[in-house]
Amino acid sequence: MGVPVKLAPSILSADFARLGEDVRAIDAAGADWIHVDVMDNHFVPNLTIGPMVVKALRPWSAKPFDVHLMVSPADALVEAFAEAGADLLSVHPEAGPHLHRTLARISALGKRAGVVLNPATPLSLVEPVLDMVDLVLVMSVNPGFGGQTFIDSALGRIERLRQMIDASGRAIELEVDGGIDSVTAPRVIAAGATVLVAGTASFRGGPASYAANLKALRGCGASRHG
Ligand code: DX5
Ligand code: ZN
């Protein structure tokens, strides 16, 4: 038997005028985690969600909040998002000079810690901190916007990270983010991903479509073998 893949719908593609209702609806439709894209118009050219919004959304779902920090510097916000109700906090190595310290801070706050690798970021950057992360997030688009096209080179990167994680012997989630739909999902699952982020493909069509959207993402190849 394979390991069932987790789905983490990105609320970047939700209806921001009805965000609480949309979080509740995507939870009911079968989301495993709620993915929150935090952008600062500095690390990435877009501006989205702050800790106050996460705090306001917290009562709308009991599922883990998977907070993807695209901010620089990240350290001060790590604490704010932890207090607001984040369960997982992921940072980009380029966002600050002291990745080890930032990850240690996330763990000290009792939260699961992740490292995010952009399409051009060497995988080797994660090696020195593999013993302190709970999650590696592979970007399959350049961060900043939803609705972009999947970058194929992410597949080989997922495969190599799968080997690194398996060799570590630690239970580290391997998440992929960007351009995930019913076509790319089986490919990243086959490469070794355990968590799929999807914005556009999760929220398209409005609440009546969410359950079918998530089912399509799980597909019939929703298990990873081996
Ligand atoms: C991009 C974000 C993604 C994005 C994914 O910077 O990290 O989470 O919302 O959007 P889709 O699934 O539409 O590519
Ligand atoms: Zn994201």
Side-chain angles (χ1 to χ4, degrees):
M1 276 295 287
V3 179
V5 73
K6 294 186 183 73
L7 296 183
S10 165
I11 61 170
L12 191 61
S13 298
D15 181 349
F16 273 39
R18 301 170 39 87
L19 212 41
E21 285 89 345
D22 249 2
V23 166
R24 185 166 60 190
I26 206 74
D27 173 332
D32 297 288
W33 295 354
I34 306 296
H35 187 81
V36 181
D37 285 308
V38 178
M39 306 185 186
D40 67 349
N41 192 41
H42 172 69
F43 186 70
V44 292
N46 202 351
L47 185 65
T48 59
I49 292 170
M52 290 170 70
V53 176
V54 168
K55 189 176 179 190
L57 290 174
R58 192 61 277 190
W60 292 83
S61 171
K63 303 277 170 69
F65 277 16
D66 172 32
V67 176
H68 175 190
L69 293 175
M70 288 162 273
V71 300
S72 176
D75 285 15
L77 285 175
V78 156
E79 196 154 356
F81 278 100
E83 276 172 18
D87 298 285
L88 302 102
L89 282 158
S90 298
V91 293
H92 289 252
E94 300 89 348
H98 305 296
L99 178 63
H100 186 284
R101 176 185 289 151
T102 305
L103 294 171
R105 192 163 285 176
I106 294 169
S107 300
L109 290 163
K111 307 301 176 183
R112 283 188 269 172
V115 170
V116 194
L117 300 170
N118 278 339
T121 301
L123 303 184
S124 58
L125 278 190
V126 79
E127 269 175 350
V129 293
L130 209 53
D131 63 337
M132 57 193 307
V133 299
D134 304 291
L135 170 79
V136 178
L137 172 50
V138 178
M139 292 307 299
S140 40
V141 298
N142 288 292
F145 303 95
Q148 301 183 79
T149 302
F150 183 85
I151 297 171
D152 277 330
S153 59
L155 291 167
R157 290 162 60 76
I158 294 165
E159 284 171 5
R160 291 204 297 285
L161 281 163
R162 176 81 266 147
Q163 290 170 2
M164 286 164 62
I165 289 170
D166 286 350
S168 80
R170 298 189 66 243
I172 300 171
E173 298 281 8
L174 180 47
E175 186 174 35
V176 58
D177 185 358
I180 298 298
D181 57 22
S182 57
V183 175
T184 52
R187 299 173 72 201
V188 299
I189 294 166
T194 58
V195 187
L196 310 186
V197 177
T200 307
S202 298
F203 286 95
R204 70 160 57 97
S209 305
Y210 295 167
N213 291 347
L214 299 194
K215 204 172 161 204
L217 285 170
R218 290 190 197 278
C220 49
S223 295
R224 182 173 66 81
H225 297 281

